[in-house]
Amino acid sequence: MQRYILAPAVALAFLAALAACWLWPGLRVPAVSFLCAGLAALGLTVLLRAGQVSFGHAMYAAIGGYGTAFAARHFPGADALVVVGAGTLASVCAGAIAAAFVSRYRGIFFGMLNLGISMVLFALAGKLYAWTGGTDGLRFERPAFLGMTLDRGEFEFAVLALALTLAVSLALLVQRYFASSAGQVMLAIRTNETRLEYIGVSARATLAQGYVLSAALVGLSGSLLSLEQGLVTPESGYWIRSGEYVFIAILGGSGHAIGAFFGAAVFEVIKLTAAVYFTNAWQLLLGLTLIAVIFFAPTGIVGWLGQVRTRIAAGGTR
């Protein structure tokens, strides 16, 4: 019954979001930023299911962004979908290489190893000026979208529609992954990895697969964001950006894929509100929000909503 209700609700929200951004063009860029942050946090949520936290996963957003920029600059006639695919593929390849050895580690060693790799890549992106443009980044011309040459406003709306479609589709697919046997093994890695090995399931291989999926989602977010901006800089892979993704993932909760987008929505609202009313104080508001979540909703927004739903259901049966 819930599926029959959920599908129309998702479709209605999808159309409402597109209509709002069509009527108010100023919402398009913040909406794309929100969706990209949600996709990146969704990638972190995959790792959180296994109890692992990466403090350097923004490097895959940078790899995706630079891959998109390289494809757009070296193949001027390439379509927007092609350059985004190229950036995402670059992140998948980099994630597969890193997963070969990162998947051996757990806990703080897993997180810090990812941070170390990201710091090396960030330094290289800033120093290799001939390839990356240094700290100024790489700019590229706006590519055609599905063979159509669009002006700036139309292109922003097209990127928004693409990002929204991918966000909804991938959230549903990741949730199915969570419910699959591989997703359940990821949960078991967090609770009792030794038992998995005893029954013949390779925890390392499963974590490596989840890691590559995580890198692909974060890389896609970086590709879409660079496509919308026409620019990618080393800052997209800085460790502070990785911390933001971790913050969003924890805020939303790892109980459901939609939690990443709940967390991204709260994150963007806080940043925009602080920019208007509390200039240069958005970090303070984010810190207070995170403290409140840890104390009062340690399972994130999704976990808290689940508890509220359970209480309502229990009250209705009395």
Side-chain angles (χ1 to χ4, degrees), residues 65-307:
Y66 277 107
T68 299
F70 289 151
R73 287 169 66 94
H74 293 287
F75 302 95
D79 193 83
L81 299 184
V82 174
V83 298
V84 167
T88 306
L89 180 60
S91 298
V92 170
C93 294
I97 295 172
F101 55 91
V102 170
S103 59
R104 299 180 181 182
Y105 300 92
R106 302 290 183 270
I108 189 63
F109 302 104
F110 179 90
M112 297 305 292
L113 182 56
N114 279 281
L115 175 61
I117 297 172
S118 72
M119 292 176 69
V120 171
L121 292 179
F122 172 78
L124 289 175
K127 299 297 183 181
L128 300 178
Y129 186 87
W131 291 355
T132 65
T135 55
D136 294 333
L138 279 182
R139 292 189 177 274
F140 55 94
E141 295 296 327
R142 188 166 55 243
F145 195 97
L146 294 177
M148 299 178 290
T149 301
L150 306 176
D151 61 29
R152 181 174 179 81
E154 293 171 339
F155 188 79
E156 287 179 350
F157 185 78
V159 173
L160 168 66
L162 174 63
L164 187 57
T165 302
L166 289 172
V168 172
S169 302
L170 291 173
L172 294 174
L173 290 175
V174 169
Q175 184 57 33
R176 292 194 64 177
Y177 167 77
F178 288 164
S180 69
S181 58
Q184 295 303 310
V185 171
M186 290 287 281
L187 277 178
I189 292 175
R190 180 172 60 185
T191 56
N192 198 329
E193 183 176 341
T194 304
R195 182 176 295 178
L196 285 177
E197 300 291 344
Y198 277 131
I199 64 176
V201 178
S202 174
R204 180 183 171 188
T206 303
L207 181 59
Q209 294 170 4
Y211 187 92
V212 174
L213 173 60
S214 176
L217 291 168
V218 180
L220 175 60
S221 74
S223 297
L224 289 171
L225 195 59
S226 66
L227 180 67
E228 189 271 333
Q229 296 175 340
L231 170 71
V232 58
T233 66
E235 294 299 321
S236 59
Y238 195 40
W239 66 269
I240 292 180
R241 188 65 58 87
S242 296
E244 291 178 356
Y245 295 156
V246 172
F247 172 90
I248 294 171
I250 294 175
L251 180 62
S254 61
H256 196 284
I258 196 65
F261 295 94
F262 283 154
V266 173
F267 179 80
E268 291 297 327
V269 167
I270 291 175
K271 285 186 66 174
L272 292 174
T273 302
V276 175
Y277 299 105
F278 307 99
T279 306
N280 298 325
W282 64 272
Q283 296 94 336
L284 173 63
L285 296 180
L286 286 178
L288 293 175
T289 302
L290 183 59
I291 292 172
V293 168
I294 292 174
F295 275 117
F296 302 108
T299 55
I301 296 174
V302 166
W304 177 76
L305 290 175
Q307 294 174 359

